[in-house]
Amino acid sequence: MAGPAPGRLLRPLATLALALALLVPGPPAVRAGQTPRPAERGPPVRLFTEEELARYGGEEEDRPIYLAVKGVVFDVTAGKEFYGRGAPYNALAGKDATRGVAKMSLDPADLTHDTTGLTAEELKSLDDVFTKVYKAKYPIVGYTARRILNEDGSPNLDFKPEDQPHFDLKDEF
């Protein structure tokens, strides 16, 4: 009786090694003159459909408040006075409001992921707010499914993060 082909045995071992490498934290990178910090772990990152994201719109007191910009879902609960029920920016909560952030608009027509037709100035504003406000202040809890799934929910095999508008692979993953 012949044993399994060598390639068939190595594939599960390689998968296990990769899984262990991802689960076991390595030593933090330290630059000259810096003291090492322990690795910080946040909640697991997940994909959100529009319907799932809408459940985190700030209406329920015991639920976190999420909003997405550029397909990145942030937990903005710490800014409840801005994003909670009745707060000035509550219209942004529970959705991907990329266009609204770019245009500094709370108009319901602008509360969408769609960046089609934005001016260069609006796109620069979007990148600035994305980096200097949301990424600087709020933890990332997931991504919108729209970024990597087709409309029917199947995987978008052509998805390339680096080809997405206003997406910076090194900063987001």
Side-chain angles (χ1 to χ4, degrees):
M1 176 176 193
R8 294 187 86 193
L9 188 58
L10 291 178
R11 187 171 298 146
L13 290 175
T15 303
L16 178 61
L18 176 61
L20 287 174
L22 292 173
L23 291 174
V24 177
V30 178
R31 292 187 183 153
Q34 289 183 332
T35 55
R37 290 185 0 208
E40 296 175 22
R41 289 188 184 243
V45 173
R46 62 183 255 215
L47 285 181
F48 289 86
T49 63
E50 288 180 30
E51 295 79 22
E52 289 170 323
L53 187 57
R55 290 186 225 150
Y56 298 90
E59 297 303 316
E60 296 182 34
E61 285 294 318
D62 61 339
R63 186 170 281 180
I65 304 168
Y66 295 166
L67 74 82
V69 178
K70 293 173 52 173
V72 180
V73 181
F74 296 93
D75 181 343
V76 296
T77 309
K80 189 176 194 170
E81 66 275 11
F82 301 109
Y83 301 102
R85 184 179 5 182
Y89 301 118
N90 178 253
L92 302 172
K95 58 186 67 77
D96 187 331
T98 301
R99 185 178 198 82
V101 169
K103 295 180 75 168
M104 300 293 175
S105 169
L106 296 176
D107 182 330
D110 289 330
L111 301 179
T112 178
H113 68 282
D114 188 10
T115 59
T116 305
L118 292 177
T119 67
E121 185 176 312
E122 290 167 334
L123 293 173
K124 181 177 181 340
S125 173
L126 172 62
D127 287 340
D128 287 347
V129 172
F130 179 77
T131 302
K132 295 175 183 170
V133 175
Y134 292 106
K135 285 183 72 176
K137 285 183 161 183
Y138 301 109
I140 295 172
V141 293
Y143 297 90
T144 59
R146 177 179 301 282
R147 285 182 86 160
I148 62 173
L149 299 177
N150 294 316
E151 291 295 323
D152 66 1
S154 64
N156 176 2
L157 301 178
D158 295 324
F159 177 79
K160 294 184 184 103
E162 62 275 13
D163 291 343
Q164 302 306 305
H166 321 298
F167 181 85
D168 190 346
L169 183 65
K170 70 179 172 44
D171 288 339
E172 293 184 35
F173 285 105

